Amino acid sequence: MFTFAAPVHVHAQEADPMPKTALVIHGGAGYVARESLSVQDEQDARADLNRALDAGHQVLAAGGSALDAVQAAVRVLEESPRFNAGKGAVFNADGGHELDASIMEGHTRRAGAVAGVTTVRSPITLARAVMEHSPHVMLAAQGAEAFADTRPEIERVPNDWFDTDKRRQQLDAAKRKEQAARSAGTDAADEPGKYFGTVGAVALDRHGHIAAATSTGGMTNKKWGRVGDAPIIGAGTWADRQCGVSGTGWGEFYIRNAVAHDICARVAYRGDSLGDAAEEVVNRIVTAAGGDGGAIALDVDGNIAMPFNSGTMYRGWIHPDGSRGVAIFED
C-alpha cells in the first residue's frame, strides 16, 4: 500500500518555512572619541549590548512576543551603569535623577509611558504596567510614582541608587560650563552631541508582530522637570503593523519632528524602504532643523536600519537569518 502523506507533508513544510524574527537595540547616540574609550570600557559596553541581544532573542526564539522581547532587552540595558537609563541615568540640575520610558505594540497600537519617575528601578517595566493596567498611555512624576505604589511587581529603589561617579563628573562639568557662560554674560547654549544616551529596542516576533521600547535618564543638568522624546509616543518610540522605531538624540528635535512616527509613516504612506525613510528623517530632517542623534528601525520583513549622525551610536542587531553583531563607532 502506498501513501502520499509523507511527500505532501514535506512539501507543505518547504512551502511554509519557519516565520522570521529579528531584533535591533541601541545604547544611545552621541559623540565618544575613540581615544577616550579604553579597551576595557569598549569590551564592557559590547558585552552589555550582547547580553541585551541575548535576552531579547531568547524570548523570540522560544516563540514569545515582540513586546516581551523589547522589554527584556531594555531591562538589561537599564541595569548597566554604562548607558543613560536606569542605573546609568544622568543627574538633573538638582543632583537627582528623573527617568522616562515608553513601550508600544504595533499590531494593537497599545502603548504605555512614564516621565520623571524617581524611585522605579525599571522604568520600562512601569511603562508596560501603565499600558496593561491603567486606562492611560502616559503618567508623569508623582502620579506615575503613585501608580507604581499600586503595582507590587514594580521594584523600587531610593533615588541615590542611580548615582554613579561618571555621571556625577558629567554634572560637575556641565555646571562649570554653565557658570563660566554666566560669568561671561553669555548663554550656556545647548549644542549638538550634548543629549546623548538613552536605550531602546525594536523586535519582530514569529507572528509578524512588531514592538518598540525606549528608556532614558534624560539630559545632564536638566531643569524644570524637562521631558525629552523617549516617553512620547510618535517622537521617540513608535510601532505599527509594518514598522517600529526607537530614537536617541536631541529630544527636542525628535519631538518637533515626530521622528519615530515619521519614519514609519513614510514606509506606510509613500512606500519608502525602511532604510530610505530612516535616513531621510534622521540624517536630513533632524539635522536641517539643528538637531542630531540616531534611531533604530525594523520592518515586518525583518529589514533593519540604524542611521545616526552623532559620530557614535551603541547598537546591536540580530537579522532574520540569525547573523548578529554589535557596534559603537561609524565603522
Side-chain angles (χ1 to χ4, degrees):
M1 179 180 294
F2 294 93
T3 175
F4 296 97
V8 170
H9 181 63
V10 171
H11 178 74
Q13 283 187 322
E14 292 173 352
D16 185 22
M18 178 70 70
K20 65 184 67 176
T21 66
L23 176 67
V24 58
I25 65 172
H26 71 78
Y31 177 69
V32 179
R34 282 183 184 270
E35 59 272 17
S36 71
L37 196 64
S38 71
V39 172
Q40 187 61 57
D41 286 343
E42 181 173 348
Q43 289 177 346
D44 290 343
R46 289 176 179 272
D48 284 344
L49 290 169
N50 273 306
R51 277 192 286 270
L53 284 175
D54 290 342
H57 181 64
Q58 183 176 8
V59 172
L60 297 173
S65 71
L67 194 67
D68 286 341
V70 294
Q71 181 180 349
V74 168
R75 185 73 179 89
V76 170
L77 298 174
E78 286 180 333
E79 285 293 297
S80 170
R82 297 174 184 87
F83 306 108
N84 178 19
K87 178 58 181 173
V90 298
F91 285 89
N92 64 18
D94 295 327
H97 308 273
E98 297 168 315
L99 297 88
D100 311 325
S102 63
I103 192 166
M104 187 169 187
E105 184 178 60
H107 67 292
T108 63
R109 297 288 181 94
R110 294 191 304 162
V114 294
V117 297
T118 58
T119 69
V120 176
R121 180 166 178 163
S122 173
I124 199 63
T125 302
L126 182 59
R128 182 166 179 180
V130 170
M131 180 185 78
E132 295 183 329
H133 302 293
S134 87
H136 308 301
V137 170
M138 178 184 285
L139 300 179
Q142 293 179 349
E145 295 282 333
F147 174 73
D149 290 341
T150 72
R151 305 303 310 172
E153 75 276 15
I154 302 299
E155 186 175 357
R156 313 298 281 279
V157 292
N159 193 251
D160 62 8
W161 182 85
F162 301 104
D163 290 2
T164 60
D165 291 341
K166 177 182 178 181
R167 300 306 187 195
R168 177 69 70 180
Q169 292 165 6
Q170 290 173 343
L171 175 64
D172 292 343
K175 285 187 173 295
R176 286 195 298 271
K177 184 174 182 179
E178 185 177 58
Q179 182 58 47
R182 188 179 298 116
S183 298
T186 60
D187 292 331
D190 292 328
E191 58 193 30
K194 179 179 178 181
Y195 291 71
F196 71 89
T198 310
V199 305
V202 188
L204 169 69
D205 64 32
R206 66 176 55 183
H207 306 289
H209 297 156
I210 294 172
T214 311
S215 182
T216 188
M219 60 169 289
T220 298
N221 201 32
K222 63 183 178 181
K223 302 177 178 65
W224 310 302
R226 179 261 185 187
V227 175
D229 64 302
I232 299 177
I233 300 302
T237 301
W238 180 261
D240 56 35
R241 288 185 179 275
Q242 294 180 284
C243 171
V245 174
S246 173
T248 168
W250 197 335
E252 279 67 16
F253 292 91
Y254 280 57
I255 295 170
R256 293 169 188 165
N257 292 284
V259 164
H261 179 265
D262 192 18
I263 291 171
C264 290
R266 289 165 182 267
V267 173
Y269 304 146
R270 295 205 322 188
D272 289 3
S273 71
L274 183 74
D276 287 347
E279 176 71 19
E280 175 72 18
V281 175
V282 172
N283 287 334
R284 294 188 179 89
I285 291 177
V286 170
T287 55
D292 69 339
I296 55 171
L298 174 65
D299 70 16
V300 72
D301 294 320
N303 296 307
I304 291 172
M306 300 174 286
F308 62 101
N309 50 56
S310 50
T312 301
M313 186 168 77
Y314 294 85
R315 58 205 188 275
W317 60 90
I318 300 179
H319 289 291
D321 65 4
S323 61
R324 63 183 284 168
V326 298
I328 298 174
F329 303 104
E330 291 182 347
D331 57 0

